[in-house]
Amino acid sequence: MSRSLYGYLRERGPASPEEIASGYLGLGELNGEARAAVERVVGGDPRFAWEGPLLRAADPRGLDLREAPYVVFDLETTGSSAREGGITELGALKLVRGRVVDRFSTLVNPGRPIEPFVARLTGITDEMVSGAPPAREVIPRFEEFAEGSVLVAHNAGFDCSFLAAARGGRGLPNPVLDTLRLARLLVPGLRRYRLSALVSHFGVRQAPNHRALADAAATAGVFLHLLRLLRAAGVGSVGEALALRGGGARRIPPQKRHLAEGLPASCGVYYFLDGGGGVLYVGKAKNLRARVRTYFNGGDGRRKVRRLVEEVAAVRFRTTGTELEALLLEAREIRRLSPRYNTAGREEGGRWYIGFPRGEPYPVPERVSGEEAGDGFLLLLGPYRSAGMVDACVEALGRIFPLRRCSGEGGPCLYGQMGRCAPCMGMESGEYAREVVGGVAALLRGEDGGGRLEALRRERDRLAAALEFEAAARLRDLVSGIERLRLARTLGTSGVPQAVVAPSTEPGMVEVFAFEGGGLLAHGGFEAGDEEGLRGFAARARAARRGGSGGGVDEARVVLAYLRRRSGLVEVARLDGGDGGLLEAARRVGRAGGMVQ
């Protein structure tokens, strides 16, 4: 018998609640309560459907695009040939109704050497995978994870060929949607359709970095945008999406192409104007000519874009020297002009907080939306823009602090036995408020000296050294979430100038950004050991201080997102107490950047 209810029903066909309760769940006679028991097991899982009194396993091809479960996955491999190579890493996210409900991530021992170029590209070495499980153990687990779901991948043929090779030449039975093919159908006119290009086009936060789980997350972000375009084009079901061919999706007829004439092929910001000269929309582009042409060559199918194109009467532009300058100018102009079609640009700040409920002796941190934030919380930390990042941070806090896990009655719980449950440890509510609630606030504000976070980093490194790769990867993500929250808060709220140092694209160089209150004071590039240049930069930044005001523009957020896409490596130093911190940060980044390159 199948290990899963979905597999049981696929093999057997539709079954009554009584048959499921006795034949699969082993519950015996339930005296009329069988359906309620089965419904509790099934919950809102879209893989199941009731046909009168019978439950069946739904064919994902017949599901509505909005209801279908998706498993977005990515592989890293030893090389480019599935016939001669093997899988080194598999990462996947399960999406239900647009939300991530589960994840799958593991290194895989391919049983053969990794090509040197691939090792440099991914950072996955033969030593890293030597103790990992082989594909014959990983693939069955992934099949169970993906059972009944639609598989999604970018350039899916490549990934599916390796999966099939690992299964003895047999592909998985799941339907497969390819974001590369969908993007070519739905977003005509782009110069490139690589995953990184689509991430940039749609403004997806997660950047691909040639590691399986991160690339799967980037693909998931792109796919959610493509789902909206499919629905806007009249595609309603998974089966209809699978049947699409070139020209099958309805697109905006090409029009007003003359408005894109004369634009340069350089970085900058473009403005769409209405007949009266009012600004309808502001956008940025690495290539102004190519980006603006996509609107008038058929756009990307969205109703909003269709309406925008109908209203546009003229296009203005301003060139910038770099992509980052274009990003910053776009943010400033959206805030200054509030264009009608820049709905995202008019949102004030972030949407999510970490909150401690009021009126509880041992309040536990939880994610709170902007609508829920109010007097019901003893402490609110934020706002932050990413719910996923907040969730990862809350999970990590449970590893650092003895949060309440039980009432403390009846002997210590499992967490209490590990010293991670305050009531079980005998901690009084006042001490909990000081040590836990106050400690969390200090950690996320960057005021605790980093000791607790450093302990979490050491645990991450210990797990990796013990070849517990999945646990180490999860902990790496949690640490990263806390670091990003701390950095965003520090730069966005600090009333003293702070310097962010990151590797430059030029070898041996670093880029330095100075912020105060979220606003950019200065930016420059230096050799890592250029003490005179760095001291001069710090002096200019202090002279440009704005009294703690960021000018209403969260420029720090824009810069940090840009740096994460590029390398993710940053160091922060205060500029109000001498230049030693900046000089040391530049030396550390210079050394680390040299190793990365």
Side-chain angles (χ1 to χ4, degrees):
M1 185 175 69
S2 173
R3 294 172 57 189
S4 72
L5 177 57
Y6 184 87
Y8 171 79
L9 292 174
R10 291 288 288 181
E11 295 170 3
R12 185 192 183 287
S16 69
E18 291 74 19
E19 291 169 327
I20 295 170
S22 60
Y24 176 75
L25 299 177
L27 298 178
E29 179 59 47
L30 293 182
N31 299 320
E33 296 297 321
R35 175 147 183 164
V38 173
E39 285 180 339
R40 284 195 295 272
V41 173
V42 172
D45 194 329
R47 299 179 302 160
F48 301 94
W50 290 98
E51 290 182 344
L54 303 180
L55 183 70
R56 66 175 174 86
D59 183 349
R61 294 169 179 82
L63 294 177
D64 185 285
L65 283 172
R66 290 168 293 191
E67 295 298 316
Y70 301 98
V71 168
V72 188
F73 76 102
D74 183 77
L75 304 179
E76 300 302 332
T77 65
T78 58
S80 59
S81 170
R83 182 177 302 175
E84 301 173 0
I87 301 169
T88 60
E89 189 175 38
L90 197 163
L93 299 175
K94 185 175 290 184
L95 302 180
V96 176
R97 300 180 183 93
R99 295 180 61 86
V100 176
V101 299
D102 204 355
R103 65 174 64 194
F104 184 101
S105 178
T106 181
L107 289 169
V108 183
N109 188 337
R112 66 203 73 191
I114 301 172
E115 294 180 10
F117 168 77
V118 175
R120 291 193 299 271
L121 182 69
T122 65
I124 300 174
T125 64
D126 293 328
E127 291 75 18
M128 289 173 62
V129 299
S130 62
R136 65 176 180 273
E137 297 178 15
V138 171
I139 299 303
R141 289 167 45 208
F142 179 67
E143 290 180 44
E144 183 178 347
F145 179 84
E147 187 178 47
S149 299
V150 181
L151 293 177
V152 180
H154 192 73
N155 192 17
F158 174 85
D159 297 277
C160 289
S161 70
F162 276 87
L163 287 179
R167 299 180 79 243
R170 298 173 295 108
L172 289 173
N174 309 62
V176 180
L177 289 174
D178 186 350
T179 52
L180 174 61
R181 191 174 72 85
L182 289 175
R184 284 173 172 162
L185 287 172
L186 297 165
V187 194
L190 296 184
R191 291 183 60 191
R192 295 182 179 86
Y193 289 87
R194 291 180 303 193
L195 181 57
S196 58
L198 293 175
V199 162
S200 177
H201 174 75
F202 287 119
V204 174
R205 292 183 181 276
Q206 173 64 57
N209 63 3
H210 299 293
R211 292 300 299 266
L213 190 59
D215 286 9
T219 304
V222 168
F223 179 63
L224 291 175
H225 284 277
L226 293 173
L227 277 182
R228 287 191 282 271
L229 300 187
L230 283 168
R231 295 199 299 270
V235 180
S237 71
V238 172
E240 291 174 357
L242 292 167
L244 281 178
R245 295 292 183 266
R250 295 197 296 273
R251 301 198 282 260
I252 307 168
Q255 56 184 306
K256 302 183 180 180
R257 290 174 171 171
H258 65 281
L259 295 179
E261 294 177 359
L263 271 68
S266 57
C267 288
V269 170
Y270 56 92
Y271 306 75
F272 283 174
L273 311 179
D274 61 22
V279 178
L280 296 167
Y281 181 78
V282 175
K284 55 87 182 144
K286 293 181 182 178
N287 184 319
L288 286 165
R289 182 191 303 154
R291 181 69 185 98
V292 172
R293 277 179 174 174
T294 63
Y295 290 91
F296 305 120
N297 284 341
D300 57 14
R302 286 175 289 176
R303 289 189 179 94
K304 186 178 80 169
V305 174
R306 183 180 293 112
R307 294 195 301 269
L308 172 61
V309 171
E310 290 171 354
E311 292 188 49
V312 172
V315 179
R316 283 196 294 111
F317 68 90
R318 289 174 60 181
T319 59
T320 59
T322 65
E323 179 190 5
L324 177 58
E325 290 174 19
L327 287 165
L328 290 169
L329 179 59
E330 178 195 37
R332 293 166 183 158
E333 291 294 80
I334 289 173
R335 182 60 63 94
R336 182 176 71 88
L337 298 168
S338 295
R340 179 153 47 93
Y341 282 90
N342 287 101
T343 54
R346 293 202 302 269
E347 293 178 0
E348 290 296 328
R351 298 170 47 223
W352 304 102
Y353 297 81
I354 293 175
F356 287 86
R358 190 182 295 278
E360 298 182 9
Y362 299 94
V364 175
E366 59 186 56
R367 169 163 50 95
V368 182
S369 70
E371 293 76 19
E372 298 169 326
D375 295 336
F377 293 90
L378 176 68
L379 177 68
L380 283 171
L381 298 167
Y384 306 110
R385 291 182 176 268
S386 168
M389 188 169 69
V390 169
D391 287 342
C393 181
V394 169
E395 183 178 342
L397 293 174
R399 290 175 173 265
I400 301 174
F401 295 93
L403 302 178
R404 171 179 55 81
R405 304 286 187 169
C406 71
S407 64
E409 301 173 358
C413 66
L414 174 64
Y415 288 98
Q417 295 173 35
M418 295 186 294
R420 289 167 54 187
C421 176
C424 290
M425 295 165 58
M427 184 179 287
E428 299 292 337
S429 59
E431 184 184 3
Y432 185 89
R434 291 191 306 274
E435 298 298 322
V436 176
V437 178
V440 168
L443 175 67
L444 296 184
R445 289 169 178 162
E447 299 168 355
D448 73 327
R452 292 186 174 95
L453 196 56
E454 184 56 37
L456 207 58
R457 294 190 188 101
R458 288 196 297 270
E459 174 65 7
R460 173 199 62 196
D461 296 340
R462 185 193 69 77
L463 289 169
L467 305 182
E468 298 182 40
F469 298 115
E470 290 185 56
R474 183 66 180 147
L475 202 54
R476 177 199 64 205
D477 293 343
L478 298 178
V479 171
S480 176
I482 288 185
E483 289 173 336
R484 288 163 60 190
L485 285 180
R486 291 180 64 185
L487 187 54
R489 181 177 180 87
T490 297
L491 298 179
T493 62
S494 175
V496 299
Q498 305 266 350
V500 172
V501 186
S504 172
T505 54
E506 300 180 37
M509 300 285 289
V510 296
E511 283 191 81
V512 188
F513 305 83
F515 297 97
E516 183 185 23
L520 183 64
L521 300 175
H523 167 225
F526 306 91
E527 292 184 1
D530 182 4
E531 293 193 9
E532 182 179 352
L534 291 166
R535 292 183 188 278
F537 173 86
R540 292 193 299 275
R542 287 189 285 265
R545 294 188 62 182
R546 303 164 179 168
S549 170
V553 179
D554 190 0
E555 296 170 349
R557 177 184 59 82
V558 174
V559 172
L560 290 176
Y562 167 79
L563 294 176
R564 280 200 303 273
R565 291 198 304 271
R566 209 174 64 185
S567 73
L569 175 62
V570 297
E571 288 270 356
V572 179
R574 291 170 64 104
L575 295 178
D576 62 335
D579 302 332
L582 173 60
L583 300 179
E584 181 56 33
R587 284 192 287 269
R588 286 196 299 268
V589 169
R591 289 194 296 268
M595 288 187 285
V596 170
Q597 292 166 357

